Amino acid sequence: MKEPIRASRKFRIWEYRVSHDQLLLRSPKDSASRNFDVIFVGVQYFALPSYFDGLEISLGTTEEILRVQQDYGKPVLAERVFSLRSNGAQHVVVAASVRVSENDLDMFESSLDSF
């Protein structure tokens, strides 16, 4: 991840696929916008609320990496710890990668199908 991902929209945990370790956070489209999807692939661990009002995603800090390793009970690679900040709170996802997708999918269609 080169640059942080920032969006001032509202997001929800939209879908988690156990079979492919994929997590989808979506800010659904409205009459003036498209869906804004944040897709984590190769998910090992996450500690998240179901709703975010604004979202910033960056690589995890040293403190977050140590906390995740303690909570998860296993070592994790630093480049796989993603820090999610919203309304002053910090949360984490441990995943192989994160991608962003803007799309016009129906609310019952998943952008995970294309990965």
Side-chain angles (χ1 to χ4, degrees), residues 21-84:
D21 296 322
Q22 295 175 325
L23 173 66
L24 170 60
L25 306 180
R26 176 173 281 174
S27 177
K29 64 183 174 182
D30 59 24
S31 61
S33 68
R34 303 174 79 198
N35 294 322
F36 190 99
D37 290 353
V38 177
I39 302 157
F40 292 93
V41 178
V43 175
Q44 292 177 278
Y45 173 91
F46 62 94
L48 301 173
S50 62
Y51 174 82
F52 300 91
D53 189 1
L55 188 59
E56 179 179 327
I57 303 171
S58 60
L59 287 176
T61 64
T62 302
E63 293 80 19
E64 288 169 321
I65 294 164
L66 292 172
R67 187 181 77 225
V68 165
Q69 289 183 146
Q70 182 179 7
D71 292 348
Y72 185 46
K74 297 179 183 178
V76 295
L77 298 173
E79 64 269 14
R80 290 187 171 206
V81 178
F82 297 94
S83 177
L84 287 72

